[in-house]
């Protein structure tokens, strides 16, 4: 599917009444598509989806494919990440960093899902012992933290 068709089909998965904090809607996406401003349309769709209820995984898959075609690597990775979250489940958390003098980490946390820490979320092994899970970490809005 070509880029405008991907973005157009993704826009159909966003309710028309949803709006960003600047009152931009899917109608603004359609105007951008008519004007061949595909990158702005893609970013507006990302913003609409972030502020509304979660769209289906298919929406994020289409946006990811469009971002790949447009050469927007980080945006494509983010869209595919969101699609995987909706298919596989997710835990969203707001993390607070310790002051540099108290923390053991000496390098920035990579932002695009490269870090896969162990998480203790209360799981138990079949024997009843504490079990940890591995889950990737994505820092939203920053290349690293």
């Amino acid at each position: 599917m070509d880029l405008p068709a991907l973005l157009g089909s993704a826009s159909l998965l966003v309710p028309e009444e949803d709006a960003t904090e600047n009152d931009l809607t899917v109608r603004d996406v359609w105007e951008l598509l008519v004007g061949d401003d595909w990158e702005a349309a893609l970013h507006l769709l990302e913003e609409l989806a972030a502020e509304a209820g979660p769209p289906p995984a298919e929406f994020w898959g289409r946006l990811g494919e469009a971002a790949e075609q447009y050469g927007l690597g980080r945006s494509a990775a983010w869209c595919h990440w969101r699609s995987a979250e909706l298919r596989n489940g997710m835990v969203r958390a707001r993390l607070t960093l310790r002051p540099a003098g108290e923390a053991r980490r000496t390098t920035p946390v990579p932002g695009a899902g490269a870090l896969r820490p162990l998480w203790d979320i209360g799981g138990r092994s079949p024997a009843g012992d504490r079990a940890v899970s591995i889950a990737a970490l994505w820092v939203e809005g920053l290349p690293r933290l």
Side-chain angles (χ1 to χ4, degrees), residues 5 23 130:
D23 289 327
R130 185 181 126 216

Side-chain angles (χ1 to χ4, degrees), residues 112-123:
L115 185 65
R116 298 186 184 288
L118 297 174
W119 299 85
D120 181 356
I121 57 172

Side-chain angles (χ1 to χ4, degrees), residues 10 13 49 53-65 78-89:
L13 297 171
E58 180 183 8
F59 168 86
W60 289 107
R62 290 178 189 177
L63 276 191
E65 190 177 333
W78 170 245
C79 292
H80 290 305
W81 177 276
R82 293 289 289 143
S83 179
E85 282 183 336
L86 291 166
R87 283 191 319 273
N88 303 317

Side-chain angles (χ1 to χ4, degrees), residues 94-136:
R94 185 172 304 267
L95 305 177
T96 303
L97 296 178
R98 293 173 138 175
E102 294 178 20
R104 292 182 280 174
R105 187 169 189 86
T106 59
T107 59
V109 172
L115 185 65
R116 298 186 184 288
L118 297 174
W119 299 85
D120 181 356
I121 57 172
R124 295 284 172 204
S125 73
D129 298 324
R130 185 181 126 216
V132 293
S133 301
I134 299 172

Side-chain angles (χ1 to χ4, degrees), residues 12-142:
L12 296 174
L13 297 171
V14 177
E16 283 189 59
E17 64 275 3
D18 287 355
T20 68
E21 63 183 30
N22 297 325
D23 289 327
L24 297 173
T25 67
V26 74
R27 289 177 192 241
D28 296 294
V29 171
W30 296 333
E31 288 178 22
L32 292 167
L33 291 174
V34 168
D36 292 337
D37 195 349
W38 301 328
E39 186 174 2
L42 184 132
H43 290 302
L44 180 52
L45 282 168
E46 287 178 349
E47 188 177 341
L48 280 166
E51 293 187 19
E58 180 183 8
F59 168 86
W60 289 107
R62 290 178 189 177
L63 276 191
E65 190 177 333
E68 286 171 359
Q69 287 186 22
Y70 205 74
L72 301 171
R74 183 169 169 87
S75 191
W78 170 245
C79 292
H80 290 305
W81 177 276
R82 293 289 289 143
S83 179
E85 282 183 336
L86 291 166
R87 283 191 319 273
N88 303 317
M90 68 182 145
V91 173
R92 290 195 168 266
R94 185 172 304 267
L95 305 177
T96 303
L97 296 178
R98 293 173 138 175
E102 294 178 20
R104 292 182 280 174
R105 187 169 189 86
T106 59
T107 59
V109 172
L115 185 65
R116 298 186 184 288
L118 297 174
W119 299 85
D120 181 356
I121 57 172
R124 295 284 172 204
S125 73
D129 298 324
R130 185 181 126 216
V132 293
S133 301
I134 299 172
L137 178 69
W138 187 293
V139 179
E140 294 185 28
L142 297 171

